[in-house]
Amino acid sequence: MFGFFHHLPCCMHADGRLNDAAKPRRTHENEILKIMKILVLGSAAGGGFPQWNCNCPNCAGVRSGGIKAKARTQSSIAVSSNGTDWVLINASPDILQQIRSNPSLQPARAIRDTGIAAVMVMDAQIDHITGLLMLREGRKKLNLYCTESVWDDLNHGLPLAKVLSHYCGVERHPIEGLSSDQTHFAPIEVPGIEGIRFHPMPLKSKAPPYSPHRNNPGPGDNNGLMIESKATGKKLFYAPGLGEIEPHVLDAMQQADCVLVDGTVWTGDEMITLGLTQKTAADMGHLQLSGPGGMIEVLDGIGTRRKVLIHINNTNPILNEDASERTVLAQHGIEVAYDGMEINL
Ligand code: MLT
Ligand code: MN
Ligand code: ZN
């Protein structure tokens, strides 16, 4: 038995696979493949699916198995050019579960390690920032990319940055350089993430209920992100909270090879109809999917190859895979993101 192994080149397993030391570094492999990977860590809106205290038809149905639907964690994606080093985009309160479910985020190169090289947040909503607290055991300061408005919320409204200074600390990297027409921030390259360029842009949605900017949001409170592969020029546009389609946002959507956009609710009043809240989708800074001016109509108007909805609220009928609304989406060539979905560009 042992003799058999000794006849193999030292870098090979008995089944002919290369052992780790002999593998080309994954960076190198992917440089050759030139693939940008986008991993959907959490595809639900705030509250997740099912939401802990909700018994709406979807939440009750997914709990009991009475409907065909997948449970989903809260809003986050990760991006990598080599499959090992990632930028986390939005830090969901479910981040620990998301890391467990996505082993590529833990490359295990050292006794304490993470594949998360940096975190970039699109806004200061609870579902996009509270995961920062879960990353407090980091050995280095947490690299955090955010706008001035979001940084203000993280130091005042919900001072997580101050709290984290007593743990790993935060190294803030500003999203800044707003263009004079207020449509773009300066592009960003993240050290350690070769081959990807990030183009943040302000867009219209709502600052979080706790924020001092709640009623007077400015450019930077809510943002979208064009993620570009430098190798291929392929682009993904990400905007989980999108209340209004301004011309520069439509432009970005049109230029992208794939859009990953706000699919929070089917109708503007669906949470009111279910007796869950008094707020419309517009009050919360989200554009509804259906009807005139809705996201389906917007997506119909663009030639983008791949159209994917994300940040799906638990009340949204599209979570039920047998629902007629799901058929409507399919007819329009629109996909629904799920946890673990991979988009390779
Ligand atoms: C939103 O986008 O409106 C949020 O998901 C609300 C929340 O985090 O509770
Ligand atoms: Mn949200
Ligand atoms: Zn529900």
Side-chain angles (χ1 to χ4, degrees):
M1 185 69 195
F2 286 107
F4 173 69
F5 279 107
H6 284 139
H7 290 292
L8 293 168
C10 64
C11 58
M12 265 195 188
H13 293 282
D15 62 3
R17 282 179 295 126
L18 291 176
N19 72 19
D20 286 345
K23 273 184 192 169
R25 287 200 52 226
R26 294 177 77 178
T27 313
H28 185 224
E29 280 174 13
N30 281 296
E31 266 168 18
I32 294 165
L33 292 172
K34 297 195 191 311
I35 285 175
M36 176 167 79
K37 279 182 186 294
I38 294 102
L39 192 51
V40 173
L41 303 180
S43 52
F49 177 52
Q51 181 173 312
W52 67 282
N53 64 344
C54 190
N55 293 298
C56 75
N58 277 345
C59 288
V62 72
R63 248 183 235 117
S64 69
I67 62 167
K68 189 176 174 211
K70 291 184 176 73
R72 285 166 161 85
T73 61
Q74 296 169 80
S75 192
S76 173
I77 65 170
V79 187
S80 177
S81 56
N82 65 5
T84 305
D85 302 293
W86 299 85
V87 178
L88 183 68
I89 308 193
N90 291 326
S92 154
D94 299 322
I95 183 65
L96 299 182
Q97 184 188 334
Q98 294 168 345
I99 292 170
R100 283 181 207 117
S101 306
N102 293 277
S104 51
L105 296 179
Q106 177 46 271
R109 296 161 294 198
I111 183 80
R112 287 277 169 95
D113 193 21
T114 177
I116 300 170
V119 185
M120 197 176 283
V121 295
M122 296 294 94
D123 53 50
Q125 293 280 356
I126 301 258
D127 55 345
H128 291 160
I129 61 164
T130 46
L132 295 173
L133 287 178
M134 311 304 144
L135 304 177
R136 67 190 174 284
E137 296 91 352
R139 294 204 136 176
K140 287 181 288 196
K141 282 189 175 180
L142 186 76
N143 287 309
L144 178 68
Y145 291 77
C146 67
T147 61
E148 188 60 39
S149 327
V150 169
W151 186 239
D152 186 65
D153 282 341
L154 290 173
N155 283 283
H156 297 102
L158 185 56
L160 301 190
K162 285 189 189 170
V163 174
L164 283 168
S165 72
H166 300 277
Y167 299 86
C168 58
V170 176
E171 183 77 46
R172 186 218 166 192
H173 304 268
I175 294 179
E176 61 186 0
L178 185 64
S179 60
S180 55
D181 60 358
Q182 306 207 330
T183 61
H184 298 92
F185 289 102
I188 291 171
E189 297 200 18
V190 175
I193 307 294
E194 310 311 326
I196 299 182
R197 198 177 286 124
F198 299 88
H199 305 266
M201 70 193 68
L203 48 75
K204 290 222 159 65
S205 186
K206 283 279 188 312
Y210 72 78
S211 169
H213 326 141
R214 173 67 168 175
N215 296 316
N216 57 340
D221 274 303
N222 298 91
N223 304 282
L225 188 65
M226 187 76 101
I227 307 169
E228 180 191 8
S229 162
K230 283 160 68 180
T232 62
K234 292 261 171 66
K235 299 186 190 83
L236 177 126
F237 179 69
Y238 175 60
L242 187 46
E244 195 184 314
I245 311 291
E246 298 165 273
H248 72 280
V249 172
L250 190 62
D251 262 11
M253 289 170 78
Q254 254 152 354
Q255 281 170 32
D257 298 276
C258 176
V259 297
L260 194 51
V261 290
D262 191 338
T264 308
V265 293
W266 184 257
T267 49
D269 62 356
E270 90 192 19
M271 295 182 72
I272 301 174
T273 310
L274 284 163
L276 303 176
T277 174
Q278 305 288 27
K279 291 184 202 162
T280 64
D283 292 336
M284 296 183 287
H286 299 291
L287 182 67
Q288 80 286 352
L289 292 169
S290 64
M295 189 65 87
I296 297 174
E297 196 181 279
V298 172
L299 293 176
D300 274 346
I302 61 172
T304 310
R305 194 168 54 82
R306 226 172 143 186
K307 305 167 183 178
V308 187
L309 301 173
I310 195 161
H311 191 277
I312 321 292
N313 194 56
N314 57 76
T315 52
N316 193 327
I318 65 173
L319 287 169
N320 182 342
E321 293 169 32
D322 294 325
S324 59
E325 289 83 354
R326 203 51 187 254
T327 315
V328 172
L329 291 184
Q331 285 161 351
H332 290 263
I334 301 172
E335 300 169 68
V336 182
Y338 51 88
D339 293 14
M341 181 184 204
E342 272 187 41
I343 299 170
N344 294 317
L345 286 177

